Amino acid sequence: MKPHTPAPPAGAPGELERMAAFDLQVELATRIGVQELAPGTGSLREALGSLHAMFEFTRSTLRQYSISLAGGPPPGGARTVHAIADDLLNRTLRPFTSTWHPRLAAHEALRPEGTSPVAHEEAWADAPAMRAALTELRTPLLRIVGELSGISGAGFGLSAAGSQPG
């Protein structure tokens, strides 16, 4: 027999909502975008791929926990995991990836034979601008990590806010 789990207080996120928020929080907090890609380190292609992977992870997480969309907004103006996920994908990551993916892909297509992908990327005239845009992306991503933390009740990833660009 399954043990009885008491219902959360009115207006509090349910267990599935907290679990989904925590999964998204951990995944997002450990990716480039929240974690700084220091100048002269890493690969912009890998950073872009990491951010792009959040689309499938987020969709999968929402399906996995089957959080009801029918309940309407929670009291007090709090945001749901669905609303935060929509903001993450459609208003934060999508504008970044749709801008930088085609630009980087066009540059990569011009890589001369015998030149490493990393060396070719480092020579790209738009690399500093993409790195700057990636740094600017940290602010909304850290806000989203904080919102997810408010639902999950876990502080994971919030220490990155202490190193947020000024």
Side-chain angles (χ1 to χ4, degrees):
M1 189 155 126
K2 198 174 179 182
H4 173 71
T5 303
E15 184 65 17
L16 291 177
E17 183 112 357
R18 285 194 306 275
M19 290 168 45
F22 181 74
D23 284 0
L24 291 171
Q25 176 185 346
V26 168
E27 196 69 20
L28 183 58
T30 57
R31 292 190 180 267
I32 292 298
V34 170
Q35 299 300 318
E36 183 179 6
L37 182 63
T41 66
S43 161
L44 293 172
R45 167 55 58 206
E46 292 300 319
L48 192 58
S50 177
L51 293 174
H52 186 264
M54 280 302 300
F55 284 88
E56 182 53 35
F57 183 83
T58 300
R59 291 178 192 123
S60 175
T61 299
L62 293 176
R63 284 190 301 268
Q64 174 185 347
Y65 290 105
S66 301
I67 302 165
S68 173
L69 295 173
R79 296 202 326 147
T80 64
V81 169
H82 278 95
I84 295 167
D86 182 62
D87 186 27
L88 170 65
L89 298 183
N90 295 315
R91 280 172 282 297
T92 306
L93 293 179
R94 190 174 313 280
F96 181 86
T97 58
S98 65
T99 295
W100 290 105
H101 178 79
R103 291 173 71 178
L104 181 56
H107 175 71
E108 290 169 333
L110 301 174
R111 181 171 60 94
E113 190 173 322
T115 302
S116 77
V118 172
H120 185 65
E121 185 181 279
E122 288 172 352
W124 184 34
D126 287 343
M130 185 175 172
R131 283 183 178 272
L134 190 58
T135 298
E136 289 173 13
L137 191 61
R138 286 187 80 214
T139 299
L141 292 178
L142 286 167
R143 176 187 49 78
I144 290 168
V145 167
E147 286 184 284
L148 292 167
S149 173
I151 294 172
S152 74
F156 186 87
L158 295 180
S159 62
S163 61
Q164 185 174 352

